[in-house]
Amino acid sequence: IAASKPIAVFNGGIKSAIPAGDYSGDHLFEQNIPITAWGKHFIAMEMGGFPNTEYITASFPTQYVLTAIYDNTIVKLNGVTLCTLNAGQSTPYNQVSGLHYNSVISVDYNETPKLIETSQPVLVNAFTTNANVNNYDGDLFSEASMALIPDVQAGVNRAVLYTPNDQMTLHYANVIVPETAVSGMQLNGTDVSTQFTTLGSTFDGQT
């Protein structure tokens, strides 16, 4: 899609079930990122809230899907070549059972974050599962969600978070920052630096 003046483009789907075949679904839409802002360095992690909850009874990890705009785009996961994508192609899925498929890049609630590197810019989507597949009350904890993931080098120093004031009472944010910036992290004016964990040398100083 190209235009002579600035436009906004949205993508997604109505009543999207994650994983496919689940009886529940959600309206997943995101404003797309222009190709000029796609990136080559990403950190894949389980979305906030899931790793420390006692309600998880099944393994349905956060799914990461990469889409290429250029041919011969090499995708690496933790430094190991995973696949090569051509323009318009996305990273593949593996069948787990029935209609349940996992992306080749996924992070479960008991896994450490993973480093994604590509030879050319890609678009990265992250998807979380419907609450009922993990056997807990979605009205309180979670529903399927979709988020576009920016390059780790495209950070900002200020952000506004918004959550709906309804029956969902738990809200989480995943924040990745350079180690040198942790000491200055605040939420509503309160220091939150002690809530960060170092990811390790693999992630080049990211926390």
Side-chain angles (χ1 to χ4, degrees):
I1 299 174
S4 59
K5 295 182 179 180
I7 61 172
V9 178
F10 292 82
N11 61 6
I14 60 174
K15 198 170 176 58
S16 302
I18 304 173
D22 183 65
Y23 66 82
S24 178
D26 291 278
H27 193 75
L28 306 184
F29 270 80
E30 276 277 7
Q31 182 173 329
N32 219 342
I33 299 175
I35 294 172
T36 53
W38 289 17
K40 300 191 291 183
H41 305 88
F42 307 88
I43 294 176
M45 60 194 301
E46 177 67 354
M47 291 298 182
F50 290 107
N52 300 313
T53 178
E54 60 184 290
Y55 298 92
I56 291 182
T57 59
S59 176
F60 290 95
T62 300
Q63 313 284 331
Y64 288 83
V65 180
L66 281 59
T67 302
I69 190 64
Y70 301 111
D71 289 339
N72 300 313
T73 298
I74 300 171
V75 178
K76 291 185 178 181
L77 187 64
N78 289 341
V80 178
T81 299
L82 181 67
C83 62
T84 299
L85 302 175
N86 287 324
Q89 290 184 331
S90 297
T91 44
Y93 286 81
N94 294 323
Q95 185 176 21
V96 177
S97 63
L99 291 175
H100 179 196
Y101 289 78
N102 275 353
S103 168
V104 293
I105 302 177
S106 60
V107 185
D108 214 338
Y109 70 95
N110 59 355
E111 287 188 291
T112 57
K114 300 176 182 179
L115 177 64
I116 300 171
E117 299 171 288
T118 59
S119 60
Q120 301 187 85
V122 296
L123 180 70
V124 178
N125 270 292
F127 298 91
T128 62
T129 59
N130 294 334
N132 57 282
V133 300
N134 280 331
N135 197 28
Y136 58 86
D137 188 352
D139 288 340
L140 294 177
F141 296 101
S142 172
E143 290 291 358
S145 67
M146 165 186 170
L148 292 172
I149 307 301
D151 189 302
V152 294
Q153 299 176 353
V156 296
N157 59 13
R158 194 176 187 89
V160 176
L161 306 179
Y162 170 80
T163 57
N165 183 22
D166 59 9
Q167 68 267 35
M168 288 190 178
T169 58
L170 299 179
H171 307 283
Y172 299 89
N174 291 84
V175 181
I176 299 172
V177 299
E179 290 181 356
T180 55
V182 173
S183 60
M185 291 300 299
Q186 293 185 341
L187 177 63
N188 291 338
T190 300
D191 179 85
V192 292
S193 59
T194 59
Q195 299 185 35
F196 287 83
T197 302
T198 301
L199 298 180
S201 58
T202 303
F203 300 95
D204 193 23
Q206 303 295 323
T207 299

